[in-house]
């Protein structure tokens, strides 16, 4: 990454003829939940609303949270999951998972939600034909936290992940606890040792081990694999991913057992090796029925640092032993593990080794398949949201202009594109093309460049060859 101190924000590129147009929803840092049109106009703002993430429902209502537990006592514990109407009124709320009494704080019920939730009707929380989230009624699947001790994992206190389901009345009707399935996860002896020593200790309520750090849950929904008789892909089953373990897995809703999994190691059979190491991933889900690529797994494979295993020069204790300095989006077949589509530095046109990290977000980020086959990518660390075609052409790009006060960063956890008709409160906006600028000639006021002046010819010079990089060939294969 080499982001300059000054660069444009807002919409920087828009080709209306190639986009799947709509509104884009995301959390504007320390501001609220913003809804922007394709030209970057903020058409609505739910000021002060939190969300990890926020999601829009048909009719202009939004889901999110009213606040987060003090970081002195909790780690990413959101107090509740709420549904808010267009005017900011809370029309549904759940916070009855655990009663919390932090020192010096008034006791209160909390959802302890983090990273994800899904409203019944939509498997993944974004638009797919005929798979619409319920607005009035319906169950909500929530990813939350639970404090546990489990000596099979570590002798240290653990911040465990739980998935629970609540009905519209607020009753918890199903729960799955991640640590209870530790023995199903195929950790090697080296990984168990590294995990035992350091289960990813984080601050909050003393220090606790955020050993799995799940960041995505969704149901599979109707799919061709189940239609063909593969019970592992029952529509009610839940796909989740663990950022710290590099695991993507499917949990059988009825039995609770893990019935499909990739990771934590990617050095096994040939199919897994060809899939390549998935590291620190986010937003793994099955592309829902009705969208191009339906049934395949889509994931933002961050790279960065994660995992448990044998020590190496970058991870002398074996903690965070998987390292990679670029990100990739991969869509793969869950049966063969064959990669169907990929977007990385290579497809973006960056040089290997030299510019790998020009597409890179080591934390957060997300990916959404759109109805026309394009893909919406949130490169979270840099606050960049962009839409790319199947042929890797960027047809829309937006850079968040919202920088926080507490931290000088414009990062975006996750963004969603929604159809215009999900927001009946607004007239369909006029769309104005924003052509791609020639960056070699783009200048800020006061900066000038006159390349035609002061030019002399040097006698005897040869033409410039293609790029030659130190200890690397431009066309060499990528690392897995």
């Amino acid at each position: 990454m080499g982001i300059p101190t000054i660069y444009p924000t807002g919409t920087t590129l828009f080709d209306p003829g190639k986009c799947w147009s709509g509104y884009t929803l995301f959390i504007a840092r320390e501001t609220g939940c913003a809804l922007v049109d394709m030209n970057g106009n903020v058409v609505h703002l739910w000021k002060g609303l939190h969300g990890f993430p926020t999601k829009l429902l048909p009719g202009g209502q939004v889901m999110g949270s009213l606040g987060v537990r003090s970081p002195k006592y909790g780690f990413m514990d959101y107090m509740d999951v709420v549904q808010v109407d267009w005017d900011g009124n809370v029309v549904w709320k759940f916070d009855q998972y655990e009663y919390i009494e932090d020192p010096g704080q008034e006791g209160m019920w909390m959802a302890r939600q983090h990273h994800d939730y899904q409203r019944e009707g939509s498997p993944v929380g974004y638009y797919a034909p005929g798979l619409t989230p319920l607005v009035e009624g319906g169950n909500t699947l929530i990813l939350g936290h639970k404090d546990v001790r489990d000596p099979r994992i570590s002798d240290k206190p653990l911040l465990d992940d739980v998935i629970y389901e609540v009905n519209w009345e607020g009753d918890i009707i199903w729960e799955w606890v991640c640590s209870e399935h530790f023995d199903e996860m195929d950790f090697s002896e080296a990984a168990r040792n590294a995990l035992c020593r350091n289960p990813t200790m984080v601050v909050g309520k003393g220090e606790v081990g955020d050993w799995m750090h799940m960041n995505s849950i969704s149901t599979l929904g109707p799919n061709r694999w189940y239609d063909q008789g593969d019970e592992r892909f029952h529509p009610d089953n839940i796909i989740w991913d663990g950022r710290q373990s590099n695991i993507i897995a499917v949990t059988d809703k009825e039995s609770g057992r893990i019935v499909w999994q990739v990771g934590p190691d990617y050095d096994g059979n040939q199919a897994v090796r060809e899939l390549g190491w998935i590291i620190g991933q986010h937003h793994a889900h099955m592309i829902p029925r009705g969208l191009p690529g339906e049934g395949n797994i889509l994931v933002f494979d961050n790279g960065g640092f994660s995992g448990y295993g044998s020590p190496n020069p970058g991870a002398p204790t074996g903690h965070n032993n998987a390292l990679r300095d670029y990100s990739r989006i991969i869509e793969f077949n869950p049966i063969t593990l064959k990669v169907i589509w990929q977007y990385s530095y290579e497809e973006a046109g960056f040089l290997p080794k030299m510019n790998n990290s020009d597409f890179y977000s080591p934390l957060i980020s997300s990916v959404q398949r759109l109805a026309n086959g394009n893909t919406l990518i949130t490169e979270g660390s840099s606050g960049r949201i962009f839409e790319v075609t199947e042929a890797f052409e960027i047809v829309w790009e937006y850079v968040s202009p919202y920088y926080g006060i507490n931290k000088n960063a414009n990062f975006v956890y996750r963004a969603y594109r929604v159809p215009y008709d999900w927001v009946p409160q607004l007239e369909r906006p006029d769309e104005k093309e924003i052509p791609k600028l020639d960056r070699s000639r783009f200048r800020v006021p006061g900066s000038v460049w006159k390349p035609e002046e002061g030019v002399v010819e040097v006698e005897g010079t040869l033409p410039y060859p293609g790029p030659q990089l130190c200890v690397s060939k431009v066309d060499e294969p990528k690392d897995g």
Side-chain angles (χ1 to χ4, degrees), residues 178-190:
C178 187
S179 61
E180 295 177 359
H181 301 271
F182 176 69
D183 291 335
E184 302 170 34
M185 296 176 183
D186 297 331
F187 285 107
S188 67
E189 189 64 26

Side-chain angles (χ1 to χ4, degrees), residues 43-66:
V43 296
H44 202 69
L45 176 71
W46 287 270
K47 188 176 180 180
L49 185 65
H50 299 246
F52 200 26
T54 50
K55 301 184 183 187
L56 198 80
L57 301 175
Q61 298 194 18
V62 68
M63 296 186 72
S65 178
L66 299 182

Side-chain angles (χ1 to χ4, degrees), residues 13-22 38 126-127 285 287-288 290-294 298 329 331 341 343 366-378 386-397 417:
L13 187 159
F14 176 33
D15 185 340
K18 296 181 179 178
C19 282
W20 191 74
S21 292
M38 298 299 287
Y126 64 70
Y127 173 80
H285 62 277
I287 298 173
L291 295 179
E294 64 176 71
L298 190 63
I329 307 297
E331 172 191 347
W341 184 82
Y343 185 84
S366 66
V367 57
Q368 174 187 351
R369 178 56 46 82
L370 302 174
N372 67 349
N374 291 353
T375 303
L376 186 74
I377 298 171
T378 303
F386 63 101
E387 180 178 342
V388 62
T389 69
E390 185 180 7
F392 316 122
E393 180 184 1
I394 296 176
V395 293
W396 183 81
E397 182 183 60
R417 175 72 50 75

Side-chain angles (χ1 to χ4, degrees), residues 296-317:
N296 294 329
I297 306 300
L298 190 63
V299 57
F300 193 109
D301 176 13
N302 294 67
F305 47 90
S306 67
Y308 307 97
S310 299
N312 61 51
T317 67

Side-chain angles (χ1 to χ4, degrees), residues 1 302-304 323-327 353 356-360 479:
M1 292 186 289
N302 294 67
L323 304 163
R324 195 183 65 222
D325 63 353
Y326 64 87
S327 299
K353 302 292 190 293
N356 286 358
S357 57
D358 280 6
F359 175 58
Y360 183 36
D479 297 332

Side-chain angles (χ1 to χ4, degrees), residues 140 230 359:
T140 303
D230 194 331
F359 175 58

